[in-house]
Amino acid sequence: MTNTPISRPRRLRRSQLSVPGSSEKMMAKAAASAADHVFLDLEDAVAPNAKVAARSKIVAALRDHDWGRKTRCVRINDLGTQYAYEDVITVVEGAGAHLDTIMVPKVKTAHDVMWIDILLGQIERKLGLDRRIGVEVLIEEVEGMMNIDAIAAASPRLECLIFGMGDYSASQGIDIGGGFGPAGYPGDIWHYPRYRLAIAARANGLDAVDGPFADFRDPDAYREECRRAMTLGCVGKWAIHPAQIEPALEVFSPSAEQVARARKLAAAYAEAQARGEGAVQVDGVMVDVASIRILQNVVDKAALIGM
């Protein structure tokens, strides 16, 4: 018995821009930004007394603005609050045809993913939507990291795992102030959770995305965090300010030279296969079945970007 591969939309997530759902002005600017992905926030960026009103503002923004090729996402409140179910119902019933994904924060178990899957399915059937709304989940609790394999396999609707290092630090009791600089932790304090999340995501055909970097006035440090996440297999990083969009797009995009070389080597290997050869040497580099998988990642990313 073989498992049928799950078909998921391929979306760019090099830069995920966070925008308060209570700000009509900021949502309008986000629609015109260069970010691949924008999530309109109902959780941390919105005060409790503004959450209910923000739902209708988000619906209007999704319906009224031209979002181009962006992935349009809404982050709901976490499932332990009284807001979550009405966040989903109000936003999807109001703008479901203009929405690509729902982001769920503080996911701890596979049951959390199943809950949002069932609720979205019911609303889609009620509205007669012909396009499945995807789910993105934030891993920002130690329980979520412990259960990450089950979470990643919980639903065909799931598209993306995101590492939320802020809340994760509080959950694990990490001293985030000691994480950087020459006197800090000897190594990348986020190496293990990023690595773990990327493995679970890739094993289940999902995107892995790195979370926020708070100091948007330090582009060099942000760029380095992007580079570390990209090296481990993440496809993008959050931008909490428009100034972080361009660095993320740059780091998570292959250069024109890398794309041209990958295509050249892939073409040479295809020709070698046609001749019955298992490997080929190109410009002093040996290309075989293992290296072609790495090259194909570059080729596929370039195609998705439109390079």
Side-chain angles (χ1 to χ4, degrees):
M1 180 177 178
T2 58
N3 294 324
T4 303
I6 295 172
S7 176
R8 292 182 170 93
R10 299 183 67 221
R11 310 187 198 274
L12 281 172
R13 290 185 169 93
R14 294 171 297 176
S15 175
Q16 288 194 329
L17 179 62
S18 170
V19 186
S22 54
S23 174
E24 294 160 309
K25 180 180 179 180
M26 293 180 74
M27 288 190 286
K29 287 185 176 181
S33 75
D36 292 327
H37 176 295
V38 174
F39 68 92
L40 310 181
D41 195 16
L42 283 166
E43 197 208 13
D44 289 349
V46 180
N49 62 0
K51 289 184 185 294
V52 173
R55 294 170 185 156
S56 59
K57 292 179 181 180
I58 285 175
V59 168
L62 289 170
R63 295 176 65 96
D64 296 344
H65 298 313
D66 180 2
W67 296 90
R69 295 179 60 235
K70 291 177 178 62
T71 295
R72 302 156 296 178
C73 177
V74 172
R75 178 166 71 163
I76 64 171
N77 287 281
D78 82 76
L79 306 189
T81 70
Q82 72 269 37
Y83 303 108
Y85 80 101
E86 286 187 320
D87 288 345
V88 179
I89 292 169
T90 302
V91 169
V92 178
E93 289 195 346
H98 306 272
L99 179 66
D100 296 308
T101 63
I102 290 285
M103 185 183 295
V104 187
K106 297 179 177 63
V107 168
K108 296 180 179 179
T109 71
H111 295 289
D112 295 341
V113 182
M114 296 173 191
W115 180 87
I116 193 75
D117 188 345
I118 291 169
L119 180 57
L120 283 171
Q122 292 174 344
I123 301 172
E124 288 167 347
R125 288 190 292 274
K126 173 185 175 182
L127 300 179
L129 294 179
D130 57 4
R131 187 172 54 88
R132 184 176 70 191
I133 295 171
V135 170
E136 309 184 20
V137 302
L138 272 158
I139 303 299
E140 48 188 344
E141 302 290 330
V142 290
E143 297 94 333
M145 193 61 71
M146 289 293 291
N147 296 319
I148 196 166
D149 293 319
I151 290 169
S155 168
R157 195 185 290 273
L158 189 59
E159 297 184 13
C160 179
L161 301 181
I162 306 155
F163 176 47
M165 61 278 290
D167 278 297
Y168 186 84
S169 297
S171 180
Q172 188 170 318
I174 292 173
D175 176 12
I176 195 169
F180 302 96
Y185 184 79
D188 180 359
I189 197 170
W190 306 127
H191 176 76
Y192 174 77
R194 280 175 175 153
Y195 202 97
R196 186 72 185 84
L197 182 139
I199 290 172
R202 293 286 181 170
N204 289 277
L206 311 177
D207 284 341
V209 170
D210 200 36
F213 183 79
D215 190 355
F216 58 83
R217 294 165 297 184
D218 190 344
D220 291 337
Y222 178 75
R223 192 181 300 274
E224 174 62 16
E225 290 299 293
C226 288
R227 187 192 66 79
R228 293 181 182 188
M230 183 273 294
T231 301
L232 294 178
C234 291
V235 302
K237 185 168 178 63
W238 276 15
I240 63 167
H241 187 277
Q244 293 179 330
I245 295 173
E246 197 58 40
L249 294 179
E250 179 183 332
V251 173
F252 288 99
S253 300
S255 67
E257 292 77 12
Q258 288 173 318
V259 174
R261 180 165 177 75
R263 287 174 173 158
K264 176 181 178 179
L265 296 179
Y269 180 74
E271 292 174 1
Q273 274 195 315
R275 296 192 299 268
E277 300 171 6
V280 63
Q281 188 181 93
V282 183
D283 299 333
V285 175
M286 186 63 67
V287 182
D288 59 14
V289 67
S291 54
I292 201 66
R293 293 181 66 187
I294 299 173
L295 295 169
Q296 194 61 46
N297 286 335
V298 177
V299 172
D300 291 346
K301 183 179 288 188
L304 188 59
I305 295 169
M307 296 178 71

